[in-house]
Every structure is written in structure tokens, then in C-alpha cells.
């Protein structure tokens, strides 16, 4: 824009406004978009074949220099787009000057972001599948193990460990679905929207969109350059992934404690203490728990950034890149380290099983027994509550109460009550779809094995 100005930009302004220090991460997408744009301009008669050849040759050389770490990124050229374009003009001369025909940095940057985000989503989906696979394999190694299920962090009902692990697999599947939905909405091409009003030149936006693998061009040039809702949607989906894995991290941190001793992480996914020689900490999962705050912070940054902007493009939108890039980097690492932890943790089955008698985990199953005897559930709830109180008084489990003890509470009890008592019997009683019954969990395990595991895994 030098023709308009008579003074150079102050160094402090130049440094404050540059974005090449972070948006250079999109150089591959920027070069890809430039190639497609140049090909379209040539096809539309806005440059000739020699121009196109010179541009592609120059872009090849620039890409090679960047890959080799030999490209000079200059802050005085502000961003990835101007750095590459200026270098192209140095190499291709007048042909390079034609590349920005019917294109603004406003539509160029958002095209780059959509391309970059699309690649990031595809990578994220692969990482999610790998974690799901690790959890299914962990469930396979612990077939039949019953653990206490908790509500309010109090013992509630017995569940199969496989059932619990598959709960996280299900959550990750929804996470993947959100990413796929987000990718579909983002997969439209803004290139050709120009600054905000489009162009009077005879460009073919459909051809550019097709060349870049988009489903089509965006329909409104104003909307094309002004909104970042697809970025917000992506980081929102990443925040939900972070939240899900934070909950898994919290559970495993608790379970690794002496108070629970449900799991023993391998040494290769644990750390020690600088002062306490005995410590073995599940630090990766603590950091997973903490990293979720960082991703949620990126989401809040983006929402706040966009909430008060007038139409159409505003320079504020330059600030969308760093929270986006950081959220992607953070969640990628969180998925990777959680997968490593899942492959390197053992459940202490003997210890878990030995402690299943505490907490009257079979109380609800006993209430169901009474319902099958045609007692209204609310009445059954009261009767079982009295049985639990008796168990507390006698310091014993429900299964250890005698039939006479139970009949003193209510004469409805018969000898067959003991088929519903004890955690193994309790788990065997569950039969509803999606429940923790062995048959139902087995069905779900078969589905996930077929979906996720390879022949070598099996």
C-alpha cells in the first residue's frame, strides 16, 4: 500500500502489528491457495500460461526454501501472505504482481484458515480413534472385572470396568462427530470474496473451490470475510474434548492414589518428587486435567474477540490464529499422552474385588427384587433403606443378613433374595439396553472391537 503513504511505519507499530511470527504456520495452505487462484486466473484469461508457469516455479522455490529453513520471514511484510507474495515478485517479476488480482488478504487469510483447520481436524480424528482403540484394548484386558460405580463420589452401584471405559469411548465418538460436523460447515471456499464485496472481474469461484477440495464457494462475500464462527465452533469442540479427557484424568488421578489404589501406572508414564523419595505421581493425567483450562481459555478469547466487531473485516481478527493454533496443539498432545497412559496402566483387580463389599452396592438390585415381588418401588426403597441400616448396625453386607433378619423388616423376602445380593449377582441382574449387564456390555464390546480393532489387535 506504499503509494498512499508518505511516511514509513514506526518500528513499534510494525512489531505490534506483525503476525508472521505465528501465521507462517499456514504457509503450505497459503501456497496451495495461491496455486489454485493463479490457475483460475489463467483459465479466465486474466493472466497467460507463461505467467502461470513463472508463478508456480516461484512458489516451488519458496516452498523448498521454507521447508529447508532458508526462507527469511520479515516482520516488515506483516504476515505469511505478504512475505510469500513479495518473495514471489522477486522471483517471478511482473507475473508475480498479477497473483493478487481479484484477491484480498481478507479472503486469502480465511481461505488459509479453513484449509489449515480442515487438515487439523483430519489429524485430530485419527488421534481420537487411537485413544478409543487404547481404551477398548484396556477394557479387553480387564474382562469381567467389577468396580464400584460412583455418584456424588460415593459408592452407588456395581458396574463392569468395561462398561465404564466404554463410556469414555462413547464420549470420544461424539467428540469426533462434532469435529466432522464442524469440518463440513467450514468446507466452503471464501476465495474470490475479495475485500468484502466480491469483484467485477470475470473470475470462477466454483473452479477455485473445486481445485482446493471445498464443497463449493461461500454464498455471501460480506459473510465470507467477517465471521469466524467456524473457528469458534472448532475450538468449542476441542474444549469439549479437553473437558472429557479432564474428567478421565481426574478419575485416574484419584484411582492411582493410596486411598483408592485401583490403578498402577507404569514407571514410563509417572514422575517422582524432588524431595519425597517414595512418590510416584500420575503427572500426565494431572496435566491433562489442567490443559483443559487452557483450551477453554482459547474459546473464551475467540468469543470475546468477535462479540463486538462491526461488519465486515476488522484487523482484530488477526488475533484468532494464536488461540486456534494453541488449542489444536494442546488437544493433540492431550490425546497423545492420554493414549500413552491408557497403554501403560494396570488395574489392581485383586484389590478392587476385595473392597467391593463396602458401600452396599447391591442395594438398588435388592429394591428391584422387591419390585418383582409386586411391591411398589417407593415402598421397596424404604424397605431396603431399613435393611441397609441393619447392615450398618451389624457391620455386615446385605448378603450376610439372615433371612430372618430380612423378614423382620418385611415378610415378603424369600430364599431367592440371595440371588440378587452380592456384587456379582447384582451385575448379573442388569439387562436393559445400555446397562452394565455382562451380556449387554459384551454386545457393546463386540461393536467397538469390530469398529476399532485390527486383526493384530485382536
Amino acid at each position: 500500500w506504499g503509494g498512499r503513504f508518505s511516511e514509513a511505519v514506526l518500528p513499534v507499530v510494525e512489531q505490534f502489528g506483525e503476525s508472521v511470527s505465528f501465521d507462517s504456520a499456514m504457509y503450505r495452505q497459503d501456497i496451495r491457495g495461491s496455486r489454485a487462484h493463479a490457475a483460475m486466473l489463467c483459465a479466465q484469461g486474466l493472466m497467460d500460461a507463461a505467467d502461470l508457469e513463472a508463478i508456480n516455479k516461484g512458489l516451488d522455490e519458496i516452498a523448498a526454501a521454507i521447508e529447508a529453513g532458508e526462507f527469511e520471514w520479515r516482520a516488515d511484510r506483516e504476515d505469511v501472505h505478504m512475505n510469500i507474495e513479495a518473495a514471489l515478485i522477486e522471483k517471478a517479476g511482473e507475473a508475480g504482481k498479477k497473483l493478487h488480482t481479484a484477491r484480498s488478504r481478507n479472503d486469502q487469510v480465511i481461505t488459509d484458515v479453513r484449509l489449515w483447520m480442515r487438515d487439523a481436524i483430519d489429524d485430530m480424528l485419527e488421534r481420537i480413534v487411537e485413544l478409543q482403540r487404547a481404551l477398548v484394548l484396556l477394557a479387553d484386558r480387564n474382562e469381567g472385572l467389577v468396580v464400584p460405580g460412583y455418584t456424588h463420589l460415593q459408592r452407588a452401584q456395581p458396574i463392569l470396568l468395561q462398561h465404564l471405559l466404554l463410556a469414555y469411548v462413547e464420549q470420544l465418538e461424539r467428540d469426533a462427530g462434532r469435529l466432522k460436523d464442524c469440518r463440513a460447515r467450514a468446507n466452503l471456499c471464501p476465495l474470490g470474496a475479495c475485500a468484502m464485496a466480491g469483484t467485477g472481474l470475470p473470475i470462477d469461484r466454483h473452479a477455485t473451490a473445486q481445485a482446493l477440495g471445498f464443497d463449493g464457494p461461500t454464498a455471501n462475500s460480506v459473510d465470507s470475510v467477517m465471521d469466524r464462527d467456524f473457528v469458534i465452533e472448532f475450538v468449542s469442540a476441542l474444549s469439549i474434548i479437553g473437558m472429557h479427557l479432564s474428567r478421565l484424568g481426574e478419575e485416574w488421578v484419584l484411582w492411582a492414589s493410596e486411598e483408592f489404589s485401583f490403578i498402577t501406572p507404569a514407571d514410563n508414564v509417572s514422575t517422582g518428587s524432588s524431595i519425597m523419595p517414595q512418590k510416584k505421581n500420575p503427572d500426565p493425567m494431572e496435566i491433562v486435567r489442567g490443559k483443559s483450562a487452557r483450551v477453554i481459555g482459547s474459546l473464551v478469547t475467540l468469543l470475546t474477540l468477535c462479540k463486538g466487531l462491526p461488519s465486515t473485516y476488522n484487523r482484530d481478527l488477526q488475533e484468532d490464529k494464536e488461540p486456534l493454533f494453541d488449542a489444536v496443539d494442546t488437544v493433540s498432545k492431550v490425546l497423545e499422552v492420554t493414549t500413552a497412559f491408557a497403554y501403560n496402566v494396570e488395574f489392581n483387580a485383586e484389590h478392587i474385588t476385595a473392597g467391593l463389599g463396602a458401600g452396599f452396592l447391591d442395594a438398588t438390585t435388592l429394591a428391584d427384587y422387591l419390585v418383582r415381588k409386586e411391591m411398589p418401588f417407593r415402598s421397596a426403597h424404604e424397605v431396603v433403606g431399613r435393611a441397609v441400616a441393619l447392615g450398618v448396625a451389624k457391620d455386615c453386607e446385605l448378603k450376610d443378613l439372615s433371612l430372618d433378619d430380612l423378614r423382620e423388616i418385611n415378610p415378603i423376602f424369600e430364599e431367592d433374595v440371595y440371588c440378587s445380593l452380592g456384587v456379582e449377582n447384582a451385575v448379573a441382574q442388569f439387562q436393559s439396553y445400555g446397562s452394565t449387564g455382562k451380556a449387554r456390555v459384551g454386545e457393546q464390546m463386540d461393536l467397538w472391537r469390530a469398529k476399532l480393532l485390527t486383526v493384530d489387535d485382536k
Side-chain angles (χ1 to χ4, degrees):
W1 59 78
R4 168 66 176 82
F5 294 86
S6 59
E7 293 183 87
V9 174
L10 291 172
V12 66
V13 175
E14 178 182 289
Q15 289 299 319
F16 185 69
E18 69 82 22
S19 61
V20 71
S21 57
F22 52 86
D23 66 18
S24 57
M26 300 189 298
Y27 76 87
R28 292 185 182 89
Q29 290 78 20
D30 195 74
I31 290 173
R32 184 180 176 191
S34 290
R35 291 187 194 280
H37 186 67
M40 180 276 295
L41 292 176
C42 182
Q44 296 300 108
L46 294 169
M47 68 169 62
D48 60 31
D51 293 330
L52 179 60
E53 183 180 358
I55 287 171
N56 281 327
K57 181 176 181 295
L59 291 174
D60 286 341
E61 293 172 0
I62 291 168
I66 296 172
E67 295 288 350
E70 298 170 354
F71 187 82
E72 181 187 3
W73 295 107
R74 290 174 44 176
D76 63 320
R77 291 173 174 171
E78 288 195 341
D79 54 36
V80 61
H81 324 295
M82 294 304 294
N83 267 266
I84 290 176
E85 183 179 343
L88 177 63
I89 292 171
E90 290 172 359
K91 292 178 180 296
E94 291 299 309
K97 293 181 181 180
K98 296 181 180 180
L99 179 60
H100 212 53
T101 302
R103 185 177 75 173
S104 163
R105 282 188 295 173
N106 295 0
D107 61 335
Q108 185 179 0
V109 64
I110 204 61
T111 301
D112 290 0
V113 171
R114 287 175 186 254
L115 289 170
W116 187 92
M117 206 177 86
R118 201 170 65 185
D119 293 341
I121 288 173
D122 291 343
D123 177 73
M124 200 72 66
L125 289 170
E126 292 179 6
R127 293 174 186 270
I128 288 174
V129 168
E130 185 56 38
L131 177 53
Q132 288 178 303
R133 182 180 295 118
L135 291 171
V136 169
L137 288 171
L138 182 59
D140 255 339
R141 296 201 304 271
N142 291 277
E143 184 174 359
L145 178 59
V146 177
V147 299
Y150 292 84
T151 62
H152 310 279
L153 205 55
Q154 304 295 315
R155 290 191 168 209
Q157 293 178 280
I159 57 174
L160 289 171
L161 175 60
Q162 289 184 324
H163 193 210
L164 178 60
L165 293 174
L166 288 184
Y168 289 107
V169 174
E170 293 279 356
Q171 290 170 11
L172 288 165
E173 188 71 5
R174 292 194 298 277
D175 291 331
R178 274 183 283 271
L179 292 179
K180 292 173 184 176
D181 290 344
C182 176
R183 190 189 192 283
R185 271 184 287 277
N187 200 36
L188 293 171
C189 184
L191 204 56
C194 301
M196 48 82 71
T199 180
L201 295 170
I203 63 171
D204 185 348
R205 292 189 62 208
H206 291 274
T208 309
Q210 183 177 11
L212 291 172
F214 287 107
D215 293 331
T218 52
N220 183 295
S221 64
V222 170
D223 177 56
S224 299
V225 301
M226 74 179 286
D227 210 346
R228 296 296 186 271
D229 57 355
F230 66 95
V231 177
I232 294 170
E233 182 181 4
F234 183 28
V235 178
S236 174
L238 294 178
S239 297
I240 295 172
I241 296 172
M243 176 272 295
H244 280 153
L245 297 185
S246 178
R247 295 188 69 178
L248 175 60
E250 166 70 3
E251 187 149 86
W252 283 359
V253 167
L254 284 174
W255 284 13
S257 68
E258 288 292 333
E259 284 70 21
F260 279 85
S261 294
F262 282 8
I263 62 172
T264 301
D267 288 353
N268 61 8
V269 290
S270 303
T271 63
S273 165
S274 64
I275 189 173
M276 295 170 285
Q278 83 281 11
K279 292 298 293 297
K280 180 178 178 180
N281 301 323
D283 273 9
M285 299 314 294
E286 294 180 49
I287 299 171
V288 163
R289 190 176 56 191
K291 290 288 187 183
S292 64
R294 181 171 180 153
V295 183
I296 293 167
S298 292
L299 174 60
V300 173
T301 296
L302 289 165
L303 288 166
T304 307
L305 171 69
C306 294
K307 74 174 184 63
L309 295 180
S311 60
T312 57
Y313 179 80
N314 295 272
R315 189 65 181 274
D316 313 50
L317 292 172
Q318 170 177 302
E319 294 298 306
D320 66 350
K321 315 294 181 306
E322 289 181 289
L324 169 62
F325 295 165
D326 189 76
V328 169
D329 182 62
T330 299
V331 174
S332 295
K333 291 175 180 175
V334 162
L335 285 164
E336 186 176 7
V337 78
T338 304
T339 300
F341 201 90
Y343 278 124
N344 291 279
V345 68
E346 294 295 332
F347 279 84
N348 303 321
E350 187 175 338
H351 172 78
I352 293 170
T353 302
L356 287 174
F360 303 98
L361 294 169
D362 49 358
T364 306
T365 311
L366 181 57
D368 290 344
Y369 165 85
L370 293 174
V371 168
R372 285 193 290 271
K373 297 289 186 181
E374 299 185 0
M375 180 182 288
F377 178 78
R378 280 298 166 206
S379 300
H381 188 285
E382 180 183 355
V383 169
V384 175
R386 291 168 61 192
V388 168
L390 181 60
V392 171
K394 288 177 169 284
D395 191 24
C396 70
E397 298 179 44
L398 290 175
K399 68 178 183 179
D400 297 324
L401 293 174
S402 69
L403 187 57
D404 288 340
D405 289 333
L406 293 171
R407 281 177 169 168
E408 281 187 18
I409 297 170
N410 193 293
I412 198 172
F413 288 107
E414 299 178 14
E415 190 69 38
D416 62 351
V417 68
Y418 294 102
C419 294
S420 298
L421 295 178
V423 292
E424 292 290 344
N425 287 335
V427 167
Q429 297 296 317
F430 290 98
Q431 55 183 298
S432 61
Y433 180 80
S435 73
T436 200
K438 289 184 179 180
R440 291 303 192 182
V441 173
E443 292 168 357
Q444 292 300 310
M445 284 294 298
D446 287 343
L447 289 173
W448 284 111
R449 288 189 193 102
K451 182 179 179 69
L452 296 170
L453 302 188
T454 66
V455 174
D456 289 340
D457 291 329
K458 297 174 184 177

